[in-house]
Amino acid sequence: GNIEFIGRNDGQVKIHGYRIELSEIEHAISQIEGIKQVCVVTKSRQTDTGIAKIIVGYYVKDQDFLSLTSDVGQNALFQRLPEYMIPRSLIALDSFPLTI
């Protein structure tokens, strides 16, 4: 007879006072030429003032694409997303781990 709230069912998160859809960030990054796959998540990070949420982006790139952390990649991100939606950490992977 008890109702238990275990979180949101969508990808909306609130970070630094902004409501952000993670899928919107994924879509914007996937539109950059040279990016094959993207996954954006939030992580908690311990700071001096407490625990803060940050946006972390994982991506798989073509071999010709340098990196999202390069000047070209950063310019492409800033053209597509407002500053508060740009992931704090961007991690390039060879491929995403898959389950059967």
Side-chain angles (χ1 to χ4, degrees), residues 75-89:
N75 287 338
L77 283 174
F78 278 105
Q79 289 175 359
R80 288 171 171 77
L81 294 168
E83 187 175 348
Y84 66 89
M85 290 177 73
I86 294 179
R88 172 105 18 119
S89 296

Side-chain angles (χ1 to χ4, degrees):
N2 294 330
I3 295 177
E4 191 173 330
F5 179 73
I6 55 174
R8 294 184 66 103
N9 195 22
D10 60 3
Q12 191 179 79
V13 295
K14 189 171 185 178
I15 298 179
H16 304 295
Y18 295 101
R19 291 216 176 268
I20 299 170
E21 288 281 346
L22 296 178
S23 60
E24 191 176 332
I25 299 171
E26 288 176 353
H27 178 73
I29 294 173
S30 69
Q31 298 302 305
I32 298 172
E33 189 174 328
I35 301 295
K36 290 182 181 178
Q37 294 177 299
V38 180
C39 179
V40 177
V41 296
T42 59
K43 300 274 185 176
S44 296
R45 174 187 264 174
Q46 182 67 38
T47 64
D48 294 337
T49 58
I51 296 176
K53 281 187 179 179
I54 61 167
I55 302 171
V56 179
Y58 299 92
Y59 64 97
V60 177
K61 63 185 178 85
D62 285 333
Q63 291 183 3
D64 297 337
F65 189 74
L66 293 174
S67 168
L68 283 177
T69 56
S70 69
D71 289 340
V72 173
Q74 288 293 304
N75 287 338
L77 283 174
F78 278 105
Q79 289 175 359
R80 288 171 171 77
L81 294 168
E83 187 175 348
Y84 66 89
M85 290 177 73
I86 294 179
R88 172 105 18 119
S89 296
L90 292 160
I91 301 163
L93 301 173
D94 294 329
S95 66
F96 284 144
L98 303 174
T99 59
I100 53 175

